[in-house]
Amino acid sequence: WAPAAAQIGPSHWMLYYTAQVAGTEQKMCTYRAHASNPHGPFIDDFGGPIVCPDSTLWAIDPYPVRDAHGDWHLLARVDEPNGVNTIQIRKLGEYGQHFAAGSDWVTLTRITKGGWEEPVMENASIVRLDANGEKRWYVFYSGGSYRNNSYGVGYADCGRNIDGPCVKKTIGAPWLSSQPAIHMYGPGTPTFYRDRHGHTIMAVNTWKFSGGEENPRNHGQIMHEFEVHIAPNGKPVATFVRMVE
């Protein structure tokens, strides 16, 4: 599930991915593999996951990101007891193969029980944006169920530091949700990149037709892309760019 690749060091690529732990019925954890170029082959010879909580708890949806100082971090959904999903980050060591010595997981945000994010918070990303002349970090996460129209994207403002503290801004409703006018239903899994003009672009997985998996007109998910910037009021704004089928 949810693979993410990054060049960490000269001629060194890392792939982080979610997989089922051998010998379990449904225990999902995050693993990694390495390669000398982006085309692979990627080899996982580490002998086990890079993060795997105790018991039946999951650690999924890895998202590698480089901070303003050039250091790499791994963002992931790391579960806690009683059905609590959290989005956490931890600094990576040399070449991203292991975590940095002395580092620890830092919780950036967590699910609001009973809110729109139920049944799950997952598939998060973190990006540094210009907020009225100040560079600030924002966590964008998915909530609801990707199987239907309930999926949406929320966010938290983490301030000047990549590890926060963060303040969740989307308590009562998602920031980005279904938009029938552009044939977008149940957006989630936000992923950021910068285009050749320097604009920050967010891609989200979506359904083209309402109803998600239950609508036979949907033959798998597609993608919508938005340009994202911070408005003068401090809130992120997503401007539709294109739909990719």
Side-chain angles (χ1 to χ4, degrees):
W1 293 354
Q7 183 180 8
I8 303 180
S11 301
H12 192 93
W13 286 77
M14 290 296 297
L15 175 71
Y16 302 93
Y17 64 96
T18 301
Q20 182 174 325
V21 178
T24 68
E25 291 187 4
Q26 199 178 29
K27 163 80 169 180
M28 308 300 291
C29 289
T30 296
Y31 295 76
R32 76 281 202 204
H34 61 91
S36 59
N37 66 79
H39 305 291
F42 283 87
I43 301 171
D44 184 345
D45 54 5
F46 293 102
I50 189 171
V51 53
C52 196
D54 295 334
S55 185
T56 59
L57 301 177
W58 289 10
I60 66 174
D61 302 335
Y63 192 92
V65 61
R66 185 166 51 185
D67 67 18
H69 308 289
D71 296 323
W72 283 90
H73 304 253
L74 189 67
L75 188 79
R77 185 191 111 184
V78 182
D79 290 346
E80 295 181 352
N82 302 315
V84 175
N85 311 130
T86 72
I87 305 302
Q88 300 190 28
I89 196 168
R90 186 171 178 179
K91 188 176 180 180
L92 290 163
E94 187 177 21
Y95 300 127
Q97 295 187 353
H98 306 278
F99 291 117
S103 68
D104 205 352
W105 287 100
V106 177
T107 299
L108 303 184
T109 190
R110 63 182 60 236
I111 192 170
T112 301
K113 302 297 288 183
W116 72 267
E117 299 154 356
E118 293 277 23
V120 68
M121 171 191 273
E122 60 186 1
N123 282 321
S125 60
I126 186 167
V127 63
R128 192 169 182 244
L129 299 172
D130 187 353
N132 302 317
E134 177 185 69
K135 296 292 187 180
R136 298 178 71 86
W137 289 95
Y138 295 84
V139 171
F140 291 85
Y141 62 88
S142 309
S145 173
Y146 82 93
R147 300 178 185 275
N148 54 50
N149 296 359
S150 72
Y151 218 38
V153 177
Y155 78 95
D157 183 341
C158 299
R160 298 181 179 181
N161 299 316
I162 195 171
D163 54 1
C166 306
V167 178
K168 187 191 290 187
K169 298 295 186 176
T170 45
I171 303 294
W175 166 71
L176 184 72
S177 56
S178 298
Q179 296 182 23
I182 57 173
H183 305 286
M184 182 181 78
Y185 296 90
T189 316
T191 302
F192 288 86
Y193 69 93
R194 286 187 171 83
D195 66 13
R196 60 194 177 98
H197 303 293
H199 301 145
T200 299
I201 305 297
M202 178 186 70
V204 287
N205 290 345
T206 61
W207 300 103
K208 184 176 182 179
F209 302 104
S210 180
E213 286 186 340
E214 295 185 358
N215 190 332
R217 299 177 68 189
N218 286 318
H219 302 285
Q221 291 190 298
I222 61 171
M223 185 177 294
H224 283 69
E225 293 188 336
F226 297 83
E227 181 182 342
V228 177
H229 71 276
I230 304 300
N233 63 4
K235 297 180 179 181
V237 175
T239 303
F240 178 58
V241 175
R242 62 176 177 167
M243 178 174 66
V244 182
E245 297 189 63

